[in-house]
Amino acid sequence: MTLGTELLRVLTTGDAARLKELLRSEGRPRADGHVAIEVNGASTGAAPSPVRTGCLLGVTSNGNTALYLAASRGHAELAALVGERAPSLVATRNGGLDTPLHCAAKAGSRDVAACLLSLMRAAAAGGAEEAAVAALRARNRLGATALHEAVRLGRAAAVELFMAEAPEMTSVTTDVGVSPLYLAAETRSEQMVRQLLRPSADGTPSPASAAGRHGRTALHAAATVSKGTTESWPVGSTLLTRVDSSGRTPLHLAILHGRLDVVELFLDVHTSAVQARISDDHGLFPLHTAAMAGSIRILDELIKRCPDYYELVDEQGRNFLHCAVEHNQDSVVRHICQNDAFAMLLNATDYEGNTPLHLAVKCGFPRIVSMLLQMTTVEIDKDGLSDPHFIVLSCLCWLGIGITLDRRRPDPLHHADRTPTTEEAAASDEEHDMLRNGAIGSVLIATVAFAAAFIVPGAFVASDTMAFLCSIVATSFLIYGGARENPRSHRLWYKILASRLMPMAARFMIAAFAFGFHLVLVDGANRGLIVFVYTVSMAPMLFCFPDVWIPLQLLGMAKAVWRRAGWRGLVNVHKRPMSPLHLVQLFVGSFLFQYLVGTLLVVLIATTFAVAIALSIRLPNY
């Protein structure tokens, strides 16, 4: 049956006086489902009559009873009246499997929750203990108890009441094994964590369960949040050494989230040495985790607890320096290189014979390679440095070991009888497309530069001529580089030279464009337009060519080359050249040519633009 309209309105508005009137007129429900009529406050022995629509036993369309409506709105007096007349309603469920206690917890009404708990205790004392316990531990469709809902919504008053009146609720978990304590830690509620861990008045420890998702405990969740959430746990808690489904302790998670304060708190207990030596399922110790996360301060704290840090390796035999290199944590690598106490780590090998330098070369991290090479104690094992990144390979060539690497690579031309694989054929097609696109661009620059020379003569001729010559030479090199009849080594040099000349031609073309406009707009009335042209032309000159800023990123590489090979390494001349052409080839592949010539050209053109802008402003007829 359904709740009557008038009773529904009374329960919604919280009109206690009107509810009393309705209850007197409706009669009092009895256990046998009939109504005993009350006259002047006393029950008569009148014959039982059927329960009418609109009484307390009715429900709404969602299955909510009168007690639900009162509890969800925090009407404590109405809840007490309804509970007194129909105490069985305390254990009912609605469509979402919520009990009235769930509704009171969601609303955060301490008084309503206290009333409902009192009704449950009365039912237990009257012989319905099993039903009362079931109502107290009931879970809704989300698998949450009333305590879970109070914790999730931050209802501190309700949580405090539950801990005082029914602390056993803290041991109940959801359908997926999440305890209220874990939920409080996961939602970063320090107040809830303290309340759930608070011992009873007689000193009995809290029965709160710490179970959580994926085998984690509440301390795992608290470790990722803040120090305040973890301080409430008892000192030396056994949860510190508990691992989750991945084998990680709370210390691992605190390190991953960069919580230095939490790490210090964990390491201040007597189990700090044990925690620091627990590895996860991949053999990674907290030291490895700190190195991968780039946390230098946490790393130093762990090293204090692990004097034998160099002995801690993962399942691949890698120490924390190997991990820092693999995850491109250059700040950790720099810290290790600057501290002589870590010298034994620089040349340590894993189970495959890889040193940190080998991993940096294989991963293609130029900055880390330069840091390691700056340490003269780092040994260079040529056999282990294979397939490096282009910049790393160039650095090794500048150090005088690039020839060894080239000789270790088989030349496809020596295996004419071998059928190319699908990957090799795709790479060849891609290379051919790149050469064709480069040739098209180079020809376009040459065409524009050639045509401009006959349209606007004047001071811009120098830059226009350089753009034309660079593009023509680059076009020739691209044609030769794509001809398979030429030796592979020659084709490689043609491509490298073309790749150097194309950006130079584009820069000279930008300069010719700006200088040409200046000649056309030489009239002083166009001074603002001239400044605009120079300013706009300077922007692509500085920002559209990445090699302009690369030297700033490779200063460490140059420093490493200087320390190990001196000026010969910077110009790529380690032995006496066999011919002038050989000398040119070596210099073209040197650090100075690759990363300084283009930058100097940009600086020169940009400076010319700046001077032209200044003169146009100061001298209108310039």
Side-chain angles (χ1 to χ4, degrees):
M1 63 192 95
T2 60
L3 284 174
T5 304
E6 179 65 14
L7 183 58
L8 188 62
R9 184 191 65 80
V10 169
L11 293 171
T12 304
T13 59
D15 190 346
R18 179 59 180 158
L19 178 62
K20 292 178 181 178
E21 294 179 3
L22 291 175
L23 291 178
R24 281 195 295 269
S25 63
E26 290 283 349
R28 182 174 181 176
R30 298 191 315 190
D32 56 3
H34 296 83
V35 177
I37 304 300
E38 289 185 354
V39 179
N40 296 327
S43 298
T44 67
S49 59
V51 180
R52 299 192 303 272
T53 300
C55 73
L56 295 181
L57 298 181
V59 296
T60 64
S61 59
N62 193 32
N64 291 324
T65 65
L67 192 56
Y68 278 98
L69 299 179
S72 60
R73 288 162 175 78
H75 300 323
E77 185 178 359
L78 270 65
L81 289 172
V82 174
E84 180 183 0
R85 296 298 183 93
S88 61
L89 296 180
V90 75
T92 56
R93 304 281 193 99
N94 64 4
L97 299 183
D98 285 322
T99 65
L101 191 60
H102 281 92
C103 298
K106 292 178 181 179
S109 176
R110 179 189 175 97
D111 295 336
V112 174
C115 174
L116 297 175
L117 290 176
S118 177
L119 292 174
M120 292 180 183
R121 286 194 297 269
E129 182 178 359
E130 184 176 349
V133 172
L136 191 65
R137 302 169 66 93
R139 293 191 287 241
N140 57 19
R141 290 194 183 275
L142 298 178
T145 65
L147 180 57
H148 282 96
E149 296 292 357
V151 171
R152 180 177 64 86
L153 297 174
R155 309 305 187 190
V159 173
E160 184 179 6
L161 174 68
F162 290 147
M163 291 302 299
E165 301 293 334
E168 64 273 14
M169 296 178 68
T170 59
S171 62
V172 183
T173 61
T174 64
D175 295 337
V176 294
V178 175
S179 63
L181 183 59
Y182 183 91
L183 184 61
E186 193 177 43
T187 56
R188 305 186 177 189
S189 177
E190 299 180 13
Q191 181 182 8
M192 298 294 176
V193 171
R194 292 192 180 94
Q195 288 181 347
L196 294 172
L197 288 175
R198 184 180 302 163
S200 60
D202 58 357
T204 305
S206 171
S209 170
R213 300 182 181 89
H214 310 297
R216 296 179 179 175
T217 66
L219 194 55
H220 283 90
T224 65
V225 181
S226 65
K227 180 179 179 180
T229 312
T230 56
E231 283 180 328
S232 304
W233 263 265
V235 178
S237 173
T238 57
L239 297 179
L240 287 170
T241 55
R242 291 271 297 275
V243 298
D244 61 9
S245 57
S246 300
R248 292 173 175 173
T249 63
L251 181 60
H252 281 96
L253 297 184
I255 294 171
L256 282 175
H257 288 78
R259 305 302 314 184
L260 175 62
D261 51 352
V262 178
V263 171
E264 292 176 340
L265 180 65
F266 287 165
L267 294 179
D268 283 340
V269 300
H270 67 278
T271 59
S272 60
V274 178
Q275 296 179 64
R277 287 174 172 80
I278 297 178
S279 61
D280 62 12
D281 292 345
H282 298 286
L284 298 174
F285 292 89
L287 271 172
H288 296 85
T289 306
M292 291 187 294
S295 305
I296 297 176
R297 295 183 62 184
I298 294 178
L299 194 65
D300 289 338
E301 289 293 329
L302 292 169
I303 290 174
K304 293 178 183 177
R305 272 74 176 183
C306 300
D308 57 340
Y309 57 86
Y310 49 86
E311 297 288 345
L312 301 179
V313 296
D314 62 5
E315 60 184 12
Q316 300 179 30
R318 299 181 178 180
N319 56 42
F320 64 89
L321 178 56
H322 287 96
C323 293
V325 170
E326 272 195 316
H327 289 76
N328 198 21
Q329 295 294 345
D330 52 351
S331 59
V332 176
V333 177
R334 183 183 299 108
H335 178 67
I336 294 174
C337 291
Q338 293 174 350
N339 195 332
D340 294 337
F342 302 130
M344 63 186 68
L345 300 176
L346 298 177
N347 294 307
T349 59
D350 60 12
Y351 295 153
E352 296 180 357
N354 294 316
T355 65
L357 180 60
H358 292 148
L359 296 181
V361 170
K362 290 181 178 180
C363 296
F365 297 143
R367 184 170 298 179
I368 293 181
V369 170
S370 65
M371 292 179 189
L372 294 174
L373 290 178
Q374 289 178 38
M375 305 298 297
T376 56
T377 57
V378 173
E379 300 174 357
I380 302 179
D381 180 10
K382 300 177 183 179
D383 294 333
L385 303 177
S386 59
D387 297 327
H389 189 270
F390 175 76
I391 298 179
V392 176
L393 175 60
S394 300
C395 177
L396 298 175
C397 293
W398 301 329
L399 293 175
I401 64 174
I403 298 177
T404 304
L405 296 178
D406 289 339
R407 289 176 180 173
R408 294 177 67 250
R409 296 178 179 177
D411 190 347
L413 295 179
H414 296 164
H415 302 272
D417 56 339
R418 184 174 63 87
T419 302
T421 62
T422 304
E423 292 78 6
E424 291 175 345
S428 178
D429 293 339
E430 183 179 358
E431 181 182 4
H432 178 71
D433 293 340
M434 292 176 63
L435 289 173
R436 182 179 59 186
N437 295 335
I440 293 174
S442 181
V443 170
L444 288 176
I445 295 176
T447 303
V448 174
F450 180 80
F454 297 95
I455 298 175
V456 187
F460 85 104
V461 170
S463 57
D464 185 75
T465 302
M466 293 300 300
F468 176 75
L469 293 178
C470 289
S471 59
I472 286 295
V473 175
T475 303
S476 302
F477 284 156
L478 287 171
I479 294 174
Y480 292 139
R484 299 183 182 277
E485 294 79 7
N486 295 324
R488 183 174 182 273
S489 59
H490 292 184
R491 287 190 281 121
L492 178 62
W493 276 109
Y494 290 143
K495 296 172 188 176
I496 293 176
L497 291 174
S499 66
R500 299 290 183 269
L501 290 173
M502 278 289 292
M504 295 176 64
R507 289 163 183 153
F508 280 122
M509 197 65 217
I510 294 175
F513 171 82
F515 294 149
F517 257 100
H518 192 170
L519 292 175
V520 174
L521 304 174
V522 71
D523 187 4
N526 298 318
R527 179 177 58 179
L529 188 56
I530 293 174
V531 173
F532 171 77
V533 170
Y534 276 121
T535 303
V536 173
S537 300
M538 190 181 299
M541 186 73 65
L542 295 176
F543 303 109
C544 293
F545 298 95
D547 58 332
V548 176
W549 306 102
I550 286 180
L552 298 178
Q553 303 174 6
L554 298 181
L555 291 178
M557 191 77 74
K559 187 176 180 181
V561 173
W562 175 263
R563 283 188 177 183
R564 289 181 174 266
W567 65 270
R568 292 181 177 274
L570 294 178
V571 298
N572 200 25
V573 179
H574 300 278
K575 297 180 181 179
R576 185 175 180 178
M578 295 178 291
S579 64
L581 179 60
H582 186 210
L583 176 62
V584 172
Q585 290 179 345
L586 293 176
F587 181 72
V588 169
S590 66
F591 177 86
L592 290 178
F593 182 83
Q594 289 192 30
Y595 301 111
L596 293 183
V597 172
T599 303
L600 292 177
L601 177 61
V602 171
V603 171
L604 177 61
I605 297 177
T607 303
T608 305
F609 284 1
V611 172
I613 292 173
L615 292 176
S616 297
I617 295 175
R618 298 286 296 180
L619 303 174
N621 295 323
Y622 167 71

